[in-house]
Amino acid sequence: MKKTFFLFILFLFSQIPAQEKLMFWPQGEMPNSKILASKTKKKKTLAELKEPELFAFLPPIKERNQKSVIIIPGGGYSKLTYDEGAFQIAKWMNTLGISAFVLNYRLPTSTDLIQREIAPLQDAQAAIKYIRKNAVQWGISPNQVGVVGTSAGGHLATSVSNISTDFTGLKDDLADISTIPDFAILFCPVIDLGEFAHKGSRNSLLGENASEEKIREYSMQNRVTEKTPPTILFHNQDDTAVPPMNSILYYKAMTKNKVKGSLFIFPKGGHRFFVTDKNELSENWKKLCADWLETINNK
C-alpha cells in the first residue's frame, strides 16, 4: 500500500512541470548591482546569477486554493540547491492545491554586489511584493503568501519574516506592498550565526571577519517580535551541518513573543527533508506540514 501511494505521488509530480520563469524585478530597478555578474550552472545548483528569478508551479485551477508559497532553496549562501530542496517541494505543495514559486536569489558571494548581506533579502522582499501585486491573475490571495526555507534558505525566510525595513527601493504601486510573509515553513534552518552557526553560511553572508555586532544582528532568533508570522519548524537531531539548536532558539524566541507555530525534531534524517524520503519517522513531516497549513486562518 505504501509503495502504491509513493508511486502515485511520483506520478503526480511528473504531471506538474514548472509553468513559467518570472523575472520579478521591474526593468532597470534591481538595486545593489554593479551589472557585472555572469550566470553559471553547476550540476543542479546555481553558483551565480545575473538576475534573480522565480519559477511558478501552479496547480490546476479547479484544485487551487488561496494560499501560495515562495520556496527559498539552501546552499550555504554560496550556491542554490534548487532541485530536491525546492522544485520537489513546490510540486508537493501543488498536490495540496497551493501555488508555489521557487526563488533563485542573488548570492552574497556574487562579484556583482555592492553590499553583500542585503542582496538575498532584497530579492525575497521584491518577490513577495511581485506575487502580492499579481495575485489576482493566479487566483490566489495577496494575504496568504508564505515562505518555505531550507538550510540557508531558512535563514533568508526568517530574515524576510522579521526584518521590516524595505530594502527594495521599489516605488509607485509597489512601494506600499508589505514585504512580510503571512506564514513560514522552515526545514533545518540556519538561524544562529554565533555559537551554533553553520560557518559556511555565516562566512558567505557576512564575510570571514564579521563583527560580533553584525553576527548578533543577523542571528534571526534575536529579531523575532510579536509581529513575526506563524511558523512551523522541522529539524533532525542528528543534523551535523546545522545543529537543531538553531530551530530550538528560534522557537524559544517565538514562544517568548507569543508567535503561533510548532517545532518538530526527529531523531534522525541528517541535514535534509526531501519529499521522497522514506525514513519512517521524518517522512511524517509531510502530513504534519499539510495539517498545519490547514490551521492557518484564511484572510
Side-chain angles (χ1 to χ4, degrees):
M1 181 67 182
K2 184 178 288 189
K3 182 178 180 181
T4 302
F5 178 74
F6 177 72
L7 291 174
F8 175 68
I9 291 294
L10 289 181
F11 170 76
L12 283 180
F13 284 178
S14 69
Q15 306 305 306
I16 309 173
Q19 296 178 342
E20 188 178 2
K21 183 168 76 171
L22 308 170
M23 312 308 287
F24 56 88
W25 279 107
Q27 189 172 5
E29 293 190 39
M30 186 176 72
N32 195 18
S33 173
K34 301 174 187 174
I35 318 298
L36 296 177
S38 60
K39 187 173 181 179
T40 57
K41 285 194 175 183
K42 184 179 180 181
K43 295 185 179 179
K44 294 182 178 180
T45 67
L46 286 179
E48 191 163 344
L49 283 174
K50 184 176 182 180
E51 187 175 353
E53 55 201 11
L54 283 169
F55 287 90
F57 291 77
L58 304 176
I61 191 67
K62 291 183 179 180
E63 300 172 14
R64 196 175 306 172
N65 60 44
Q66 292 288 292
K67 292 187 179 72
S68 64
V69 291
I70 297 173
I71 301 176
I72 307 174
Y77 277 130
S78 62
K79 60 183 183 294
L80 298 174
T81 54
Y82 61 87
D83 185 32
E84 289 184 307
F87 283 1
Q88 293 300 322
I89 293 175
K91 295 173 184 177
W92 178 75
M93 286 287 177
N94 284 174
T95 68
L96 305 179
I98 297 172
S99 300
F101 302 85
V102 174
L103 172 64
N104 283 339
Y105 51 94
R106 288 176 294 169
L107 294 163
T109 52
S110 170
T111 57
D112 180 51
L113 300 176
I114 298 168
Q115 186 176 350
R116 66 191 296 161
E117 68 270 18
I118 66 169
L121 179 60
Q122 288 172 315
D123 293 343
Q125 289 181 332
I128 290 174
K129 284 176 177 279
Y130 179 85
I131 289 171
R132 285 185 167 143
K133 178 185 176 183
N134 295 283
V136 173
Q137 77 176 62
W138 294 308
I140 59 178
S141 170
N143 300 315
Q144 295 188 59
V145 181
V147 289
V148 179
T150 299
S151 192
H155 185 269
L156 181 49
T158 54
S159 297
V160 79
S161 293
N162 292 290
I163 297 176
S164 58
T165 302
D166 184 350
F167 287 102
T168 66
L170 292 171
K171 299 177 176 60
D172 300 325
D173 58 342
L174 288 165
D176 295 329
I177 298 177
S178 173
T179 61
I180 303 294
D182 296 290
F183 59 91
I185 300 168
L186 307 176
F187 299 106
C188 45
V190 173
I191 299 291
D192 181 53
L193 297 187
E195 180 181 358
F196 302 102
H198 177 256
K199 293 181 180 179
S201 296
R202 181 181 66 197
N203 291 345
S204 292
L205 183 66
L206 302 180
E208 295 185 6
N209 299 307
S211 66
E212 287 299 320
E213 181 182 6
K214 187 68 72 173
I215 288 171
R216 283 194 301 273
E217 179 184 357
Y218 281 88
S219 292
M220 284 300 123
Q221 75 271 22
N222 299 328
R223 307 297 292 269
V224 175
T225 71
E226 68 279 359
K227 295 182 180 180
T228 298
T231 302
I232 187 171
L233 302 100
F234 298 94
H235 224 117
N236 293 315
Q237 189 176 15
D238 64 349
D239 187 338
T240 57
V242 178
M245 187 58 70
N246 282 264
S247 286
I248 293 170
L249 287 171
Y250 195 76
Y251 186 71
K252 181 179 178 181
M254 286 170 53
T255 302
K256 180 180 178 180
N257 287 278
K258 297 180 171 56
V259 177
K260 293 181 180 180
S262 297
L263 167 64
F264 296 94
I265 298 180
F266 300 98
K268 61 181 181 179
H271 185 61
R272 55 178 278 165
F273 279 91
F274 291 165
V275 173
T276 54
D277 279 346
K278 297 181 181 179
N279 184 295
E280 290 184 1
L281 282 176
S282 62
E283 71 172 351
N284 287 323
W285 74 260
K286 293 185 283 292
K287 184 178 187 314
L288 292 167
C289 187
D291 290 347
W292 184 80
L293 284 165
E294 284 289 329
T295 70
I296 298 175
N297 292 330
N298 295 337
K299 297 182 180 180

